[in-house]
Amino acid sequence: MPQEVAGLRLDQALARLLPQWSRSRLQSWIEQNLVSVDGSGATSRQKIWGGEKISVTPGRIEADSAHQAEAIPLNIVDEDEHLIVIDKPAGMVVHPGNGNWQGTLLNALLNHAPQLDQLPRAGIVHRLDKETTGLLVVAKTVEAQFNLVQQLQARTVRRDYLALALGDVRKDGLVDAPIGRHPVLRTRMAVTEAGKPARTHYRVLEKLAACTLLRCSLETGRTHQIRVHLRAIGHPLVGDPVYGSKAVDASTLAVAHVLLQFPRQALHAQRLTLMHPGSGQSVSWESPLPSDMAELLQAIRGASTAGLASV
């Protein structure tokens, strides 16, 4: 056990080191003698002092009632015995919950690879919002899931997004601002001193009429991070129904109309880079811009040109 968990109870230390498993599940395994400390049986309440050798043998997981296989098509970019890389479409929820109990990525994964019902969250280690498109990685084994979670915690997984932000973003920058639950609107996130550290790098790719195409790179993975950070600097995402703006400072009505009619946040997880849990080598995948965002950019450029020609 690392010194960072010294002084904690065994169940608390395991919950911190193995976040892919719930604390209640870890406690259950301890009670079933599936966890040992220096080769001996253990209890949830025993103290950890650092330096111990801990062995965890995951027990069988009974699939939750919401975790049912469904024959939903998946756009699989890459797959091997360790992981699956998915290109997620807009409109697909990643994990059941909050009224979305069917038709999720998890349901589709269980149909594609039934053995995933033995992994927490069916191997899902990170998420994309329902209306955000693009790449995410799913583990196929306990070992791969642990490895990927560790990489995410160490911030060595690189996630690059294409984002269309309202207004003129003049230069590249970094938003370093903690994110937590909104103090009043509890279904939203916000920049707040009580939040967890969050860092988003952004780079200007193209300046357009009334908006800017950015590449955003995450150091951390807080809920709604890019959406909240761009709003915080005064440049919310085009089409964002929660953190966006209904006011568009456009030179032509045509451009304003195009921007306001886009039905979702204009955000796409374009590139994913990580250390492969099997080979230990750096691997990377890219996803082309989805058709709706490509058409949006084309429409903005077209509307801008038409507006200039009519002056």
Side-chain angles (χ1 to χ4, degrees):
M1 276 288 189
Q3 290 298 322
E4 66 190 65
V5 297
L8 296 180
R9 293 174 16 162
L10 175 60
D11 58 347
Q12 294 172 330
L14 289 177
R16 182 173 298 184
L17 295 172
L18 303 172
Q20 68 268 40
W21 306 105
S22 69
R23 186 169 165 186
S24 61
R25 191 178 301 282
L26 291 166
Q27 289 172 336
S28 174
W29 290 344
I30 293 171
E31 293 173 1
Q32 296 173 48
N33 294 319
L34 297 174
V35 177
S36 66
V37 178
D38 290 331
S40 301
T43 66
S44 293
R45 301 181 65 85
Q46 76 181 67
K47 292 287 187 181
I48 295 299
W49 303 112
E52 298 94 336
K53 182 178 180 180
I54 309 296
S55 174
V56 179
T57 304
R60 180 176 176 80
I61 301 172
E62 296 299 330
D64 186 272
S65 59
H67 296 180
Q68 300 298 318
E70 296 181 41
I72 301 169
L74 287 172
N75 184 2
I76 297 175
V77 176
D78 195 7
E79 180 176 9
D80 58 27
E81 66 270 31
H82 303 282
L83 53 77
I84 310 172
V85 178
I86 306 290
D87 195 342
K88 188 187 85 67
M92 175 179 274
V93 173
V94 171
H95 193 278
N98 298 325
N100 297 290
W101 300 106
Q102 296 178 323
T104 71
L105 176 66
L106 183 145
N107 299 121
L109 285 168
L110 291 177
N111 179 72
H112 172 73
Q115 71 273 23
L116 293 179
D117 68 358
Q118 293 302 299
L119 298 182
R121 304 179 184 88
I124 295 168
V125 295
H126 66 119
R127 305 188 188 190
L128 296 176
D129 295 336
K130 178 180 179 180
E131 299 300 339
T132 298
T133 56
L135 299 172
L136 55 79
V137 63
V138 176
K140 292 181 71 175
T141 67
V142 170
E143 294 78 11
Q145 189 170 36
F146 178 66
N147 179 280
L148 292 171
V149 168
Q150 284 189 312
Q151 290 189 54
L152 287 164
Q153 290 179 330
R155 302 181 185 179
T156 57
V157 176
R158 182 177 176 89
R159 289 165 288 172
D160 298 319
Y161 294 71
L162 292 178
L164 191 61
L166 289 172
D168 179 14
V169 182
R170 297 186 178 182
K171 60 181 181 179
D172 304 347
L174 165 68
V175 185
D176 187 353
I179 291 176
R181 287 288 170 189
H182 192 286
V184 178
L185 304 172
R186 302 301 292 173
T187 59
R188 299 187 182 188
M189 309 302 288
V191 169
T192 170
E193 291 183 1
K196 295 181 179 179
R199 290 167 61 89
T200 304
H201 297 264
Y202 59 91
R203 178 184 175 190
V204 175
L205 298 182
E206 183 179 0
K207 291 179 178 290
L208 299 157
C211 58
T212 308
L213 181 64
L214 304 174
R215 173 169 289 121
C216 296
S217 301
L218 298 180
E219 277 194 34
T220 53
R222 307 305 174 201
T223 300
H224 300 172
Q225 180 171 318
I226 292 174
R227 299 166 67 186
V228 171
H229 272 172
L230 290 182
R231 176 186 173 91
I233 63 172
H235 297 287
L237 287 171
V238 170
D240 194 324
V242 177
Y243 306 102
S245 173
K246 296 185 180 299
V248 176
D249 182 16
S251 57
T252 70
L253 290 176
V255 170
H257 177 77
V258 168
L259 293 175
L260 291 173
Q261 290 301 307
F262 196 65
R264 67 175 182 93
Q265 65 262 15
L267 185 63
H268 176 63
Q270 180 202 28
R271 183 182 299 130
L272 177 65
T273 303
L274 51 84
M275 301 300 291
H276 192 282
S279 68
Q281 300 297 310
S282 178
V283 287
S284 183
W285 301 269
E286 290 195 16
S287 166
L289 201 63
S291 59
D292 62 346
M293 280 187 67
E295 291 167 3
L296 172 63
L297 289 173
Q298 185 177 3
I300 294 169
R301 294 166 183 141
S304 302
T305 302
L308 290 173
S310 63
V311 173

